[in-house]
Amino acid sequence: MTEKYKNTNKDFGYGHAKQALFELIVEKFKTEREKYNHYMNNLDEIDQALFQGSEKAKNIANGVLNRVREKLGFSY
């Protein structure tokens, strides 16, 4: 693209460079765009993953809190 832009006959201007950059970006992020579209069309998968993560975090936090309570003498 640099060589085309520096071309002495000036057939490759700002508009051409902008279009080429757009096409490059679209191609580079193609898989990410597909994943995004998939999850936006399947929001239940996102909710399920968030629920699983919250359950995992809750289990870890409960374990830590139980150890702290035990050390402080507040065991139930």
Side-chain angles (χ1 to χ4, degrees), residues 13-25:
Y14 175 75
H16 296 102
K18 193 166 96 170
Q19 183 64 32
L21 179 61
F22 171 75
E23 291 170 4
L24 179 70
I25 290 170

Side-chain angles (χ1 to χ4, degrees), residues 3 35 41:
E3 290 305 315
K35 285 181 186 179
N41 291 325

Side-chain angles (χ1 to χ4, degrees), residues 36-72:
Y36 173 80
N37 289 332
H38 170 77
Y39 286 118
M40 288 296 105
N41 291 325
N42 299 292
L43 292 175
D44 56 323
E45 288 184 36
I46 294 174
D47 291 336
Q48 181 64 27
L50 290 171
F51 177 76
Q52 289 173 347
S54 71
E55 289 297 311
K56 184 177 177 181
K58 195 182 306 181
N59 289 336
I60 293 169
N62 283 335
V64 171
L65 286 173
N66 287 337
R67 286 195 311 265
V68 169
R69 287 183 186 120
E70 221 174 87
K71 296 286 183 183
L72 294 175

Side-chain angles (χ1 to χ4, degrees), residues 66 69 73-76:
N66 287 337
R69 287 183 186 120
F74 293 118
S75 297
Y76 298 105

